[in-house]
Amino acid sequence: MTTIGKLAGLALAACALAGAAPTGSSDDAASYAVRVPITVAAGPPVQRLAIPPQILAVAQTADLSDLRVFDATGRAMPIARLAPAAPATRRTLLPVLPIMGAADALDVTGVSLRLDGDGRARVAEVTGTVRDAPTIATVLGVLLDTRAIVGEARSLAVGIDMPAAQPVTLTVEASDDLKTWRSIGEKVVYRTANARQAAVVVPLGEAVLHRDYLRIVWRGTSRLLSPVTIHRALLITRDKTTGGGPSVEGSAPPLTDAHAIEFGIPFAAAISAIRIVPTGRDVIVPIRLFSRDDREQPWLALGESTAARSVEGMTATQDDIGLDGGAHRTVRIEAAQRSAGFTSAPMVTFHFAPREIAFLAIGTPPFVVAAGQAGVADAYLPLASVLTQAPNGQFAIAKTALTRVTVRLAPIGDTSAMRKGLLWTILLIATGVLGMMAWFLWRNMASR
C-alpha cells in the first residue's frame, strides 16, 4: 500500500473513531453529567432510594438505564428497579338520574300541500293540526353527576333491566357543559330469556374525568320489545398519574412566533404531565400541546389546557396536561388563534411519576447516584438478587438532598456545544491529514 493510501486509511479511521467514541466509560463516575450524594440509612445494606429530579433532568433513557450508584472509590454498586406503586383505585356509587323525552312530541294530522298558481313549486306551504292527545314521556338515557370525581375512568358497572333475546348497545359519554358530548366507552349487551340479571361492565379506556357529567344512552338493532332500565351505576376510577412526584422547570427558547413555540427536551426520562405558566404581561393563554420524535413525523396532540399565572396576590388555578408516561423529545405549544398568544416565553414544568431503585450499600461511603451518559449498557439486576442481602425482605430508606432544577429547552434544530466540538475535531483531523497527503505528493513529484 502506498504512503498516500495509508494516510487516507488513517484519516478515515480517525474520523470514524472521533464520531463513534463514547464520552466516557460506564464505570467512571466522573464521566456522568450529574452525581448526587446519597445519605445512607442505618440498618440492612439494601437501601431504597427515590430518584431525585436532578437525575431525571439528565437521564438519557426513558427506563433510566444510564443510572449508576458509586461508592467513594468509584466502584459501581449493585442496583435493581423497584416497580412503581399503582395509583389508588376508587369505587363510587352514583345516583342514577333519568333523562326524559317525549315520544312523538308533534303528531300532525290533516296535512295538505298548496303550490303557487302555475303549478311550479316555487312556494309551498304545509298546513295541519296537532293531535290533541297527552304527551307520552319516555326515558332516553340516564345522567350521572361525576363533577366531583377527578381521575382516570377505568370502567362503569351498571345494573340493568333489558329485553331478552335482543342485543342492546350501551354508550357512555362525557361532557362538562351538558351540550357537547364525547364517547368514552361502548358495549353490546345480550341477555337470554332465562338468564339472571347481572351487572354489566362497560370499559372506559382510562378516560380522564375532570368536572364532567356522564350519561348512558342505548339503542337496539330493532325496536325494543320492552324498556331498558338502569337502576345502579358504580364508577371505577384511579388517581391521575400527574403530580405528586419530582418535577423540573424549563425555560422556553425566545419567541419567534406568538402562537407557536417549539423546543427540544434535553432528557429522556418519562414525563407524566406538563404545566405551562405565562410570564411577563401574559396572564391567560388557551393552549394545545403536541409532540413528535423527529421532523419526519406529524405532530401528535397531547392535550389542551389554559396557561395561567397568579396576579395581585390571587392564586391561579389551572390543569396540568397529563401525558402517557413516555419520553417526549420535541414539543410544540400552540396558543389559540382567538387569543393574542404569548408576548414572552412561558415557563414549562415537567412532572414525573415517582421512580425508585434498590441498591446495595456494601462499598466505601459516601455514595452517589449518577446519570447522564448516552450509550451505556443497562446495569440493573433482578430485584430478587439484591433481596438476598435483605433480612426478612426489609429495606433501609436512603435519601438525597432535593434542589430546584431548571433545564434549558433548546429551539428545534439547535446543535449542542458537544456536537459542534465533535464536528470541528473531525474537520481539523481531516484537514491535517489532507495537508500531509498533499506534502507527500509534492515531495514525490519533486524527487523525480
Side-chain angles (χ1 to χ4, degrees), residues 55-219:
I55 294 296
L56 297 171
V58 298
Q60 296 302 302
T61 55
D63 61 356
L64 305 183
S65 61
D66 59 322
L67 184 147
R68 298 288 190 274
V69 174
F70 295 100
D71 72 353
T73 67
R75 185 162 64 102
M77 299 291 99
I79 58 176
R81 291 184 175 91
L82 291 177
T89 300
R90 305 182 187 277
R91 299 171 179 265
T92 307
L93 187 62
L94 301 169
V96 177
L97 309 173
I99 301 174
M100 305 301 294
D104 302 328
L106 290 179
D107 193 353
V108 180
T109 61
V111 176
S112 64
L113 175 67
R114 183 178 64 82
L115 302 178
D116 64 343
D118 58 3
R120 289 178 293 178
R122 288 196 296 267
V123 179
E125 180 184 21
V126 177
T127 61
T129 60
V130 178
R131 178 182 297 170
D132 186 13
T135 299
I136 301 175
T138 185
V139 177
L140 304 179
V142 297
L143 182 69
L144 309 174
D145 189 351
T146 55
R147 288 174 296 172
I149 298 175
V150 176
E152 298 171 344
R154 306 188 67 182
S155 60
L156 183 65
V158 296
I160 182 172
D161 297 326
M162 54 177 286
Q166 279 192 290
V168 175
T169 301
L170 300 179
T171 302
V172 181
E173 300 172 321
S175 172
D176 59 358
D177 59 5
L178 295 178
K179 294 187 299 183
T180 304
W181 296 88
R182 65 184 190 278
S183 177
I184 62 174
E186 188 173 273
K187 187 170 185 177
V188 179
V189 185
Y190 180 86
R191 182 178 70 87
T192 61
N194 299 322
R196 295 178 58 188
Q197 294 284 13
V200 173
V201 178
V202 182
L204 301 182
E206 317 296 342
V208 177
L209 300 181
H210 190 75
R211 296 192 289 269
D212 287 319
Y213 292 93
L214 294 184
R215 75 175 180 185
I216 309 172
V217 294
W218 50 82
R219 67 181 187 275

Side-chain angles (χ1 to χ4, degrees), residues 384-416:
S385 300
V386 175
L387 290 180
T388 59
Q389 306 302 312
N392 302 319
Q394 296 296 314
F395 293 91
I397 307 300
K399 296 181 179 180
T400 60
L402 299 180
T403 60
R404 182 176 177 178
V405 181
T406 301
V407 297
R408 176 179 176 269
L409 305 177
I412 294 178
D414 185 24
T415 306
S416 67

Side-chain angles (χ1 to χ4, degrees), residues 218-267:
W218 50 82
R219 67 181 187 275
T221 55
S222 60
R223 183 173 182 179
L224 298 178
L225 301 178
S226 63
V228 172
T229 303
I230 293 178
H231 48 79
R232 185 174 182 271
L234 180 67
L235 180 63
I236 313 298
T237 59
R238 67 180 184 184
D239 294 344
K240 290 175 65 176
T241 55
T242 61
S247 63
V248 301
E249 295 181 356
S251 55
L255 286 181
T256 58
D257 186 334
H259 288 85
I261 304 172
E262 298 179 0
F263 54 83
I265 298 177
F267 55 82

Side-chain angles (χ1 to χ4, degrees), residues 9-10 22 27 30 38 52 68 105 148 180 191 219 253 288 334 348 393 402 423 448:
L10 288 173
D27 298 326
I38 301 173
R68 298 288 190 274
T180 304
R191 182 178 70 87
R219 67 181 187 275
R288 293 192 300 167
E334 282 190 2
V348 183
L402 299 180
L423 293 176
R448 292 179 182 178

